Amino acid sequence: HRVLALRCGSIMSSSYNKAVGQFWTSYQVNTPQKLKIIDVFLLYILITGIVQFAYCVLVGTFPFNSFLAGFISTVGTFILTVCLRIQVNPSQTEIKTTPERAFADFLFCNLILHLVVFNFMG
Amino acid sequence: GTLTWFNSLLGFHRVKMKTPTKELNQVKVPAKILVADVKDVLESGVSTEKQEYLLKLLILSLIYLLAFSTRLFSVLRYESVIHEFDPYFNYRSTKYLVNEGIYNFLNWFDQSAWYPLGRIVGGTIYPGLMATAAAVYWVLHAVNITVDIRNVCVLLAPWFASNTAMVTYLFAKEIKDESAGLIAAAFIAIVPGYISRSVAGSYDNEGIAIFALILTYYLWVKAVKTGSLFWSAACSLAYFYMVSAWGGYVFIINLIPLYVLVMLLTGRYSSRLYTAYCTLYVLGTLLAMQITFVGFQPVQSSEHMAAFGTFGILQLFGAFNWVRSHMTPENFSRFFKTTLLAILAIAFAGFAIGVATGYISPWTGRFYSLFDPTWAKENIPIIASVSEHQPTTWASFFFDLHILTFLFPAGMYFCFSKLTDANIFLIIYGITAVYFAGVMVRLMLVLAPVACVLGAYAVSCTLQTYAKHLKKPNPVVVSASTSKRAVTVAQALPVQRELGAIMLSGIGIMLVLYAFHCTWVTSEAYSSPSIVLAARQHDGSRLIFDDFREAYRWLGQNTPDDARIMSWWDYGYQISAMGNRTVLVDNNTWNNSHIAQVGKAMASPEDKAYEIMRALDVDYVLVIFGGLTGYASDDINKFLWMVRIAGSTDPNIIESNYYTPRGEFRIDKEGAPAMLNCLMYKLCYYRFSEVYTEQGRAPGYDRVRNAEIGNKGFKLEYLEEAFTSQHWLVRVYKVKTPDNRGGIVNL
């Protein structure tokens, strides 16, 4: 009984691992260099956000507006970069825009975001 | 550059060529007819486009002027004066902003309201209205057009109504096409539901909030259709303006997530939706928290949690979509189930902890009563007592919307028949607006724009269908051997042209009737300044009752500068703005127990009331009395609400004491003793028994309650009459101070 459960469990986890492995190889092969650079930046932003949140959990939320300003700065930049990545991806058809225009919009949004973050930090 | 932008605004470059081009692509036609048709169109086509452009420009300019001028009835009949109660506070704040500057305004602590507590004005208002009026004032003064701030405030709402009409044109154009846009702009320029809160003189938040609302929705639809970051950022800036303008921004931040969820459920997820919503949510939340009054609510209160939840769900959708593009289907299905369950479990746990620890606060009373309309009456009488918070009657729907009442479902039908991303938004907006307008009369204002757009949708579709019938059918014949389908354009019905003419004239008559109704409603119902009353005498001449301003001016000129006035909270803003004196309670109603103290004083007998008034440092008491003139919104008619609110904090005030044993509310001989001896009764009816009000009636006949008062000829012990206005509408009494030996009142 126990052996059967173990084998079911290992089959489940191994198929899950296989799926993840397949995703990883496909990502390595099919993603253009441009998008991989953006992905590294996204990873950096994610780590920054996690560090900020962990600090808040450990030390407390005072002053709350400063924490929110910093945290929303990471979340906001993450979202905006993801949107840029979607629009710059050469294999997408839904959004009709040039990469230059997409980047200009991205800069505009970041300008608004960081101006307000500076105002909110206090 | 500007001209090109303006041209594109009016859709100049998007005017399509008519039928012959289409038929060129689809069917083979004899060459002779083809050449003749194309040449025909080319010769008249260019000037037709120019004509259309000029026509659109002319129509939009006329709509702009119409929206402004139809709101000027009260300015032309009376004078340029601020109406109602709330606008007086906004006017006083704007004066403070203009005179003291932005920094002092944002940090303003008002000591002359809510004595002895004071009010932190900088942190408890939506500053958008004052900032807009001050900006207009400063711009005009910078070019040496020295308009007085009062006139800027009075005329701001009509000007913004014109701007709303323009933005509604853009909104409807984005959803359907220019013709629907023009009709929607024409509808909203005169719809009574919007006029009621935006006449000249009604200087209130809704005047600019509706403009911000439609602007936000227009930019949202544009963002969803294009998926561009620029339009999403513009939408978040418009949302910021809306947050600064009105508390109804909660409607936007719940409607847009609801729309996103509906799109996800109907399988219309796209990267455009992801871009638009995520950008709007992040930028919008951050911008919303810049308003001090909103504070940290966007990340803490339940009213904003739907937006947060939808944000999370969209992240999941986006992530899974991305992962799926890199995996084979069966691998993906295995991965998907496990990961999704794990994430949902964590999210649910986090939400449960947040609610259980109270970190996520529940819905506030004002919005909770929208879902359970009966809740406010039992729990918070102040919310229930506001007349604008009552449920809407069917008559109000028709009165405020006229033909839009039945064009609304017609527009819904047309939306459903051709579902696009933009149409679904309009449908959801319409349904939620109808529900909320039914719960609270004040929210009819939110229904008016969407009713205009849906009505315009229906009218535009109908006009386009029947206008085609008026044209002569094109004599195009197809050679049967070469094409698969025979395309014949023959007359479908023998009376096609007549049918088209009848339908078009019918719609024309309907629109003319709409215009008549709207102008009549504006003139009769929504243009009264309510600070100045008018009545017709027997010989037809007009009698003006200017008692309110007379009394407030008397207060300002005949009482000490630091005198404290006690009155019911309705009149607090007006006393502050026009009388320039300290008040105890005003329309902000932020402190329920302070208002209950005032209510208790009004409902107690004179000696008990005197103790309360001495404890509160009251110098003067002001009451509104309509018994002589027949003015029905006076304090005796509001008295039961005073009792209820007082009773909500002090169990000694029992409402049934003020009714007769049979349960009636009466002020004549049959009235309850508690009623006939309370302070409010005495202040209203002092010396009223000496006055003959109607022919054939005894002296002391109350023309509003239609009864002769029960307690006559009494004397006041602890107060003395200070001022009664010309028609006895406003009565001011001075509270007597104790003399040197204490405890004995000066006689």
Side-chain angles (χ1 to χ4, degrees):
Chain A
H1 196 273
R2 223 175 75 206
V3 169
L4 194 64
L6 267 175
R7 198 174 319 153
C8 278
S10 67
I11 287 176
M12 280 273 295
S13 63
S14 79
S15 70
Y16 186 83
N17 289 339
K18 210 168 63 161
V20 175
Q22 194 239 327
F23 164 72
W24 183 244
T25 44
S26 166
Y27 172 75
Q28 298 277 48
V29 169
N30 292 333
T31 320
Q33 181 74 350
K34 207 166 49 165
L35 296 186
K36 281 190 185 159
I37 297 175
I38 297 181
D39 287 341
V40 171
F41 182 51
L42 282 172
L43 186 64
Y44 161 71
I45 297 174
L46 192 65
I47 294 174
T48 319
I50 293 175
V51 164
Q52 283 198 7
F53 194 73
Y55 177 83
C56 174
V57 167
L58 289 173
V59 177
T61 59
F62 183 79
F64 197 44
N65 58 312
S66 308
F67 160 68
L68 276 180
F71 189 63
I72 293 185
S73 163
T74 58
V75 171
T77 322
F78 185 87
I79 295 290
L80 291 175
T81 318
V82 167
C83 294
L84 176 69
R85 184 189 193 279
I86 292 173
Q87 295 186 354
V88 162
N89 193 353
S91 57
Q92 65 96 11
T93 53
E94 282 172 343
I95 303 178
K96 298 174 184 38
T97 180
T98 64
E100 290 78 21
R101 174 66 197 263
F103 190 66
D105 292 344
F106 171 74
L107 287 181
F108 176 64
C109 293
N110 266 312
L111 183 70
I112 299 175
L113 175 71
H114 287 104
L115 275 176
V116 186
V117 161
F118 276 125
N119 180 47
F120 201 36
M121 252 193 304
Chain B
T2 325
L3 193 59
T4 333
W5 174 80
F6 194 58
N7 287 345
S8 70
L9 197 69
L10 291 183
F12 176 72
H13 66 283
R14 277 200 258 129
V15 172
K16 300 185 200 44
M17 300 293 271
K18 304 289 183 233
T19 345
T21 323
K22 201 164 84 161
E23 292 189 19
L24 255 175
N25 296 335
Q26 280 181 356
V27 305
K28 282 185 78 168
V29 295
K32 267 197 317 202
I33 303 176
L34 166 66
V35 166
D37 276 346
V38 169
K39 205 160 69 167
D40 214 5
V41 165
L42 275 178
E43 273 170 7
S44 62
V46 173
S47 58
T48 314
E49 283 183 358
K50 277 216 183 101
Q51 282 175 7
E52 269 196 41
Y53 174 70
L54 281 175
L55 201 58
K56 257 187 287 201
L57 196 58
L58 182 68
I59 292 175
L60 281 176
S61 318
L62 284 176
I63 290 176
Y64 198 87
L65 289 173
L66 173 70
F68 187 84
S69 41
T70 190
R71 288 165 165 81
L72 295 181
F73 275 104
S74 65
V75 171
L76 294 171
R77 283 178 187 160
Y78 303 97
E79 57 183 281
S80 157
V81 72
I82 308 271
H83 299 182
E84 299 275 317
F85 302 111
D86 279 355
Y88 271 98
F89 172 71
N90 298 330
Y91 172 55
R92 187 165 155 254
S93 308
T94 314
K95 270 198 300 193
Y96 191 89
L97 170 61
V98 164
N99 292 331
E100 309 285 331
I102 299 177
Y103 189 72
N104 288 336
F105 173 70
L106 288 176
N107 290 304
W108 184 20
F109 180 79
D110 189 11
Q111 294 168 329
S112 67
W114 293 89
Y115 183 88
L117 305 165
R119 179 184 172 183
I120 310 170
V121 178
T124 56
I125 51 164
Y126 289 103
L129 179 67
M130 298 83 176
T132 310
V136 170
Y137 176 83
W138 282 324
V139 163
L140 285 177
H141 275 247
V143 293
N144 275 329
I145 305 174
T146 49
V147 186
D148 180 44
I149 185 68
R150 194 196 78 233
N151 288 324
V152 172
C153 292
V154 165
L155 295 175
L156 189 78
W159 179 55
F160 261 83
S162 301
N163 296 339
T164 306
M166 296 299 108
V167 181
T168 312
Y169 162 75
L170 292 172
F171 183 48
K173 184 169 80 116
E174 203 58 41
I175 292 184
K176 189 170 178 286
D177 57 20
E178 291 111 31
S179 56
L182 289 172
I183 302 177
F187 274 154
I188 202 170
I190 53 177
V191 67
Y194 180 37
I195 284 191
S196 62
R197 307 291 300 198
S198 67
V199 282
S202 171
Y203 180 56
D204 210 352
N205 299 67
E206 288 91 348
I208 59 168
I210 298 298
F211 168 74
L213 183 82
I214 308 288
L215 183 67
T216 311
Y217 286 150
Y218 159 63
L219 292 170
W220 166 250
V221 170
K222 192 106 181 157
V224 169
K225 279 174 79 169
T226 59
S228 143
L229 277 172
F230 172 73
W231 291 113
S232 314
C235 182
S236 63
L237 288 175
Y239 174 66
F240 172 58
Y241 186 48
M242 177 73 188
V243 172
S244 76
W246 195 34
Y249 74 90
V250 176
F251 181 61
I252 299 187
I253 203 61
N254 282 305
L255 180 68
I256 291 185
L258 180 66
Y259 166 71
V260 169
L261 284 176
V262 168
M263 293 283 275
L264 294 179
L265 285 174
T266 53
R268 283 171 177 265
Y269 170 80
S270 67
S271 47
R272 293 174 285 117
L273 185 70
Y274 177 87
T275 307
Y277 181 70
C278 293
T279 313
L280 171 68
Y281 179 70
V282 171
L283 287 179
T285 305
L286 184 62
L287 283 167
M289 290 196 279
Q290 305 310 301
I291 308 289
T292 327
F293 193 29
V294 173
F296 296 126
Q297 283 178 42
V299 292
Q300 283 177 341
S301 85
S302 296
E303 292 145 12
H304 297 85
M305 282 302 122
F308 180 63
T310 315
F311 181 65
I313 293 176
L314 256 188
Q315 300 308 310
L316 289 180
F317 259 81
F320 281 130
N321 250 351
W322 176 58
V323 167
R324 186 171 55 181
S325 67
H326 283 288
M327 272 196 199
T328 60
E330 66 274 7
N331 274 345
F332 178 69
S333 60
R334 269 178 240 134
F335 169 82
F336 173 71
K337 287 195 198 94
T338 327
T339 323
L340 183 67
L341 281 175
I343 292 177
L344 282 180
I346 298 173
F348 186 70
F351 184 72
I353 293 174
V355 170
T357 58
Y359 187 74
I360 298 178
S361 52
W363 285 69
T364 57
R366 210 161 58 124
F367 297 108
Y368 191 80
S369 64
L370 287 179
F371 294 105
D372 180 8
T374 58
W375 180 83
K377 188 136 196 262
E378 278 103 58
N379 295 43
I380 308 183
I382 280 206
I383 295 180
S385 74
V386 181
S387 67
E388 302 170 316
H389 292 184
Q390 306 308 317
T392 323
T393 58
W394 277 111
S396 310
F397 272 106
F398 190 75
F399 193 69
D400 276 343
L401 296 175
H402 202 237
I403 56 170
L404 299 175
T405 326
F406 53 82
L407 286 180
F408 182 93
M412 285 281 211
Y413 162 74
F414 281 113
C415 280
F416 271 110
S417 67
K418 196 172 63 159
L419 281 179
T420 65
D421 286 354
N423 279 358
I424 297 181
F425 180 72
L426 197 60
I427 292 172
I428 298 174
Y429 179 18
I431 295 177
T432 49
V434 164
Y435 171 71
F436 287 123
V439 173
M440 208 188 260
V441 162
R442 188 178 182 182
L443 296 180
M444 178 69 83
L445 180 67
V446 174
L447 175 62
V450 69
C452 290
V453 175
L454 277 170
Y457 203 111
V459 170
S460 158
C461 284
T462 317
L463 284 178
Q464 279 170 348
T465 314
Y466 286 102
K468 279 202 205 89
H469 289 189
L470 281 184
K471 293 193 191 142
K472 264 201 316 211
N474 289 324
V476 174
V477 180
V478 176
S479 56
S481 57
T482 49
S483 74
K484 293 200 176 72
R485 275 183 315 155
V487 177
T488 51
V489 184
Q491 277 192 334
L493 297 163
V495 288
Q496 193 183 28
R497 295 194 69 189
E498 285 75 9
L499 183 66
I502 291 174
M503 284 302 295
L504 287 183
S505 52
I507 292 180
I509 293 174
M510 201 169 67
L511 296 177
V512 167
L513 287 176
Y514 173 73
F516 272 118
H517 171 87
C518 294
T519 317
W520 176 83
V521 166
T522 311
S523 165
E524 295 301 311
Y526 289 140
S527 294
S528 82
S530 73
I531 186 91
V532 175
L533 307 169
R536 291 227 168 269
Q537 287 178 314
H538 303 293
D539 54 355
S541 67
R542 211 166 59 152
L543 186 62
I544 298 282
F545 297 92
D546 209 0
D547 289 42
F548 295 101
R549 293 194 293 177
E550 181 194 344
Y552 299 139
R553 194 171 178 77
W554 182 91
L555 268 184
Q557 293 186 333
N558 291 288
T559 58
D561 278 344
D562 60 349
R564 288 156 300 260
I565 320 285
M566 180 173 96
S567 70
W568 193 233
W569 59 261
D570 274 345
Y571 317 108
Y573 282 157
Q574 284 183 344
I575 297 175
S576 291
M578 285 190 270
N580 205 15
R581 289 289 175 267
T582 308
V583 289
L584 252 60
V585 289
D586 65 20
N587 309 57
N588 190 29
T589 65
W590 68 268
N591 193 331
N592 196 29
S593 45
H594 210 54
I595 297 181
Q597 285 280 78
V598 171
K600 185 175 171 189
M602 296 294 195
S604 309
E606 209 184 332
D607 43 359
K608 296 270 184 324
Y610 182 70
E611 283 168 22
I612 301 174
M613 289 194 290
R614 288 296 301 160
L616 290 172
D617 276 349
V618 177
D619 293 319
Y620 290 87
V621 184
L622 185 145
V623 293
I624 306 290
F625 172 58
L628 189 85
T629 50
Y631 176 64
S633 307
D634 68 349
D635 278 354
I636 297 281
N637 274 354
K638 293 179 190 170
F639 181 67
L640 282 175
W641 283 111
M642 298 186 199
V643 170
R644 283 177 197 137
I645 293 173
S648 71
T649 55
D650 183 359
N652 293 331
I653 309 280
I654 305 169
E655 193 182 336
S656 51
N657 284 350
Y658 297 87
Y659 291 109
T660 62
R662 274 200 307 241
E664 299 166 343
F665 178 68
R666 296 173 74 145
I667 45 98
D668 53 10
K669 288 195 304 297
E670 315 271 325
M675 180 65 210
L676 294 184
N677 288 304
C678 70
L679 183 72
M680 175 58 73
Y681 183 95
K682 288 198 173 165
L683 294 184
C684 285
Y685 294 120
Y686 181 63
R687 290 194 306 113
F688 191 53
S689 50
E690 302 161 14
V691 181
Y692 281 94
T693 53
E694 257 189 22
Q695 254 184 349
R697 302 278 188 188
Y701 182 75
D702 185 339
R703 290 175 75 187
V704 177
R705 266 64 58 177
N706 290 323
E708 188 188 333
I709 60 173
N711 189 359
K712 292 188 183 187
F714 54 85
K715 292 261 178 290
L716 290 175
E717 242 188 285
Y718 297 94
L719 298 101
E720 58 183 359
E721 188 180 2
F723 177 78
T724 297
S725 65
Q726 185 186 359
H727 300 103
W728 289 48
L729 272 176
V730 186
R731 310 195 69 181
V732 183
Y733 294 85
K734 184 168 175 10
V735 176
K736 290 184 189 169
T737 50
D739 70 358
N740 287 340
R741 275 166 287 170
I744 302 173
V745 174
N746 262 336
L747 287 169

